[in-house]
Amino acid sequence: MNIGKIIGTAVATRKDETLLGCKLMITQPLTMDYKEIGEPVIAVDTVGAGIGEVVIYTKGTAARNAARKRESAIDMAIVGIVDNIDLYD
Amino acid sequence: MNIGKIIGTAVATRKDETLLGCKLMITQPLTMDYKEIGEPVIAVDTVGAGIGEVVIYTKGTAARNAARKRESAIDMAIVGIVDNIDLYD
Amino acid sequence: MNIGKIIGTAVATRKDETLLGCKLMITQPLTMDYKEIGEPVIAVDTVGAGIGEVVIYTKGTAARNAARKRESAIDMAIVGIVDNIDLYD
Amino acid sequence: MNIGKIIGTAVATRKDETLLGCKLMITQPLTMDYKEIGEPVIAVDTVGAGIGEVVIYTKGTAARNAARKRESAIDMAIVGIVDNIDLYD
Amino acid sequence: MNIGKIIGTAVATRKDETLLGCKLMITQPLTMDYKEIGEPVIAVDTVGAGIGEVVIYTKGTAARNAARKRESAIDMAIVGIVDNIDLYD
């Protein structure tokens, strides 16, 4: 899994029916010391995460599992809200 | 998922039978502020998207799910047409 | 999916039995305006493609689906021969 | 599979229920001569690995298999603790 | 699939039980003209390959298929020993 920050939302009226009711969150990948890295992606929220929160997101089948929509068009999902990242030298 | 812009179509008479009837759309990946990033890919349209439209596309099993062709040769599919991307600082 | 050009073949006498009878085609990924990009890969031909042809190739389960060898060691397959790529500004 | 070094832990109280009870280990990918490469990821421990240990980690379905949680939100798991890497010129 | 050269082995006493009995081969990815590219990975041997041999390796479910361990922690496997790569201009 990776961590990211929720920086926005995507709105798409015409979309696959399995995405109906899904919150499409724009998620900016972060390094483990909270720096931005790479390009934002769209991940479906499954834990009630909000704008600005640092989250854990997952890919592929794991994302559909988390959304409880195994036959869906989802390939990325937010599966946790980070309390803290403890790094040890 | 990612967003992209439809910039063209691919035509292949000789192709896997599970691709018959599929619209093969050339999709240019975009950043969330609509700049081009990376190389265009071929994604199967599943929502009636047209040239120039900004879309959401998905990969792997999610793509086959969206196309309702789980046993197919599809590994990328367009699953939404973007109305807007709202980014919050 | 992506497009590529077939630039050669790989021969391996000792190989997984599910690859027996498979044509292992060396495929050079191309951009949509036919420039070489990235490193060549090995893709199993499923549509009778030959050296020099521009093809569509797919990855993962989609590749095994196209080869009709779902329980195989295949993770990339050629699934179409490109007639043309139409790009619109 | 790849090797990495465990450099920390992630704590997320609000998370997908299939992640409950999982140790979320921050894993720094390593080259085979133990240099850091790329960004740390979150991998679920399945072999009792601790901070500072060099481990083998796996991705996707393999990770869910290792965690014995096939229907979970896991997409990366630690599946071995490296005793040694023997390289031959 | 890709080609690589076996440059070593990884030893891990404490590992997922589905990796027991697996030869963990350190595989250096190669270009099709046999130059080193990218970082070595760990792939499970399934065809009796040895140190120094140029091999074909596969990823994901294909790797578990090749190892005949579909429920395992394997995400990369060696599935062929290259006799030759024929490239045509």
Side-chain angles (χ1 to χ4, degrees):
Chain A
M1 287 73 75
N2 299 87
I3 67 167
K5 182 178 176 181
I6 301 181
I7 60 169
T9 55
V11 178
T13 323
R14 268 162 64 194
K15 56 180 177 277
D16 184 270
E17 63 184 22
T18 65
L19 296 178
L20 290 176
C22 292
K23 279 167 63 187
L24 304 178
M25 312 299 269
I26 313 288
T27 306
Q28 166 63 59
L30 298 178
T31 64
M32 293 300 166
D33 47 4
Y34 300 101
K35 295 193 188 75
E36 294 188 4
I37 182 163
E39 284 303 319
V41 292
I42 295 176
V44 166
D45 174 43
T46 72
V47 287
I51 300 292
E53 293 203 279
V54 175
V55 294
I56 297 172
Y57 66 93
T58 198
K59 297 176 191 150
T61 301
R64 290 184 292 283
N65 287 344
R68 306 301 185 268
K69 290 191 166 191
R70 256 155 237 133
E71 314 278 346
S72 74
I74 296 169
D75 72 359
M76 241 176 250
I78 292 160
V79 296
I81 298 173
V82 174
D83 296 327
N84 47 298
I85 300 283
D86 300 315
L87 296 177
Y88 304 84
D89 285 331
Chain B
M1 287 74 74
N2 299 87
I3 66 168
K5 183 178 175 182
I6 301 182
I7 61 168
T9 55
V11 178
T13 324
R14 268 161 65 195
K15 56 180 176 279
D16 185 87
E17 62 183 23
T18 64
L19 297 179
L20 290 177
C22 291
K23 280 167 63 187
L24 304 178
M25 311 300 269
I26 313 288
T27 306
Q28 167 61 60
L30 298 178
T31 64
M32 293 300 168
D33 48 3
Y34 300 100
K35 294 193 189 75
E36 295 188 3
I37 182 163
E39 285 303 318
V41 292
I42 295 177
V44 167
D45 174 43
T46 72
V47 287
I51 300 292
E53 292 202 283
V54 175
V55 295
I56 297 172
Y57 65 94
T58 199
K59 296 175 190 147
T61 300
R64 290 184 292 282
N65 286 345
R68 307 298 185 268
K69 291 191 167 191
R70 256 154 237 135
E71 315 277 348
S72 73
I74 297 168
D75 72 359
M76 241 175 249
I78 292 160
V79 296
I81 298 174
V82 174
D83 296 327
N84 46 300
I85 299 283
D86 301 315
L87 296 177
Y88 305 83
D89 285 332
Chain C
M1 288 74 74
N2 299 85
I3 66 167
K5 182 178 174 182
I6 300 182
I7 60 169
T9 55
V11 178
T13 323
R14 268 162 66 193
K15 57 181 177 276
D16 184 270
E17 63 184 23
T18 64
L19 297 178
L20 290 177
C22 291
K23 280 166 65 186
L24 304 179
M25 312 299 268
I26 312 289
T27 306
Q28 167 62 58
L30 298 179
T31 64
M32 293 302 167
D33 49 3
Y34 300 100
K35 294 192 190 78
E36 294 188 4
I37 182 165
E39 285 302 318
V41 292
I42 295 177
V44 167
D45 174 42
T46 73
V47 287
I51 300 292
E53 292 202 282
V54 175
V55 295
I56 296 172
Y57 66 94
T58 197
K59 296 176 191 146
T61 301
R64 290 184 292 284
N65 287 343
R68 306 298 184 269
K69 290 191 166 190
R70 257 155 236 136
E71 315 278 346
S72 74
I74 296 168
D75 72 358
M76 241 175 247
I78 292 160
V79 296
I81 297 174
V82 174
D83 296 327
N84 46 299
I85 299 284
D86 301 314
L87 296 177
Y88 305 84
D89 285 331
Chain D
M1 287 73 75
N2 299 87
I3 66 167
K5 182 178 176 183
I6 301 181
I7 61 169
T9 55
V11 177
T13 323
R14 268 162 64 194
K15 57 181 176 277
D16 185 270
E17 62 183 23
T18 64
L19 297 178
L20 290 175
C22 292
K23 279 165 65 185
L24 305 177
M25 312 300 270
I26 314 287
T27 306
Q28 166 63 59
L30 298 178
T31 64
M32 293 299 166
D33 49 3
Y34 300 100
K35 295 192 188 76
E36 295 188 5
I37 182 164
E39 285 302 319
V41 293
I42 296 177
V44 167
D45 174 42
T46 73
V47 287
I51 301 292
E53 292 203 283
V54 175
V55 294
I56 297 172
Y57 67 94
T58 198
K59 297 176 191 150
T61 300
R64 290 184 292 284
N65 287 344
R68 307 300 184 266
K69 290 190 167 193
R70 257 153 239 137
E71 315 277 345
S72 75
I74 296 168
D75 73 358
M76 241 177 249
I78 292 160
V79 296
I81 298 174
V82 175
D83 296 327
N84 46 300
I85 300 283
D86 300 316
L87 296 177
Y88 304 84
D89 285 331
Chain E
M1 287 74 74
N2 299 86
I3 66 168
K5 182 178 175 183
I6 301 182
I7 61 169
T9 55
V11 177
T13 324
R14 268 161 66 195
K15 57 180 175 278
D16 184 271
E17 63 183 21
T18 64
L19 297 178
L20 290 176
C22 291
K23 280 166 65 187
L24 304 177
M25 312 300 269
I26 313 288
T27 307
Q28 167 62 59
L30 297 178
T31 64
M32 294 301 167
D33 49 3
Y34 299 100
K35 294 192 189 78
E36 295 189 4
I37 181 164
E39 285 302 319
V41 292
I42 295 177
V44 167
D45 174 42
T46 73
V47 287
I51 300 293
E53 292 201 282
V54 175
V55 293
I56 297 172
Y57 66 94
T58 198
K59 297 176 191 151
T61 300
R64 289 184 292 283
N65 287 343
R68 306 299 183 268
K69 291 191 166 192
R70 257 155 236 135
E71 315 278 348
S72 75
I74 296 168
D75 73 358
M76 239 175 252
I78 293 160
V79 296
I81 298 174
V82 174
D83 296 326
N84 46 301
I85 300 282
D86 301 315
L87 296 178
Y88 304 84
D89 285 330

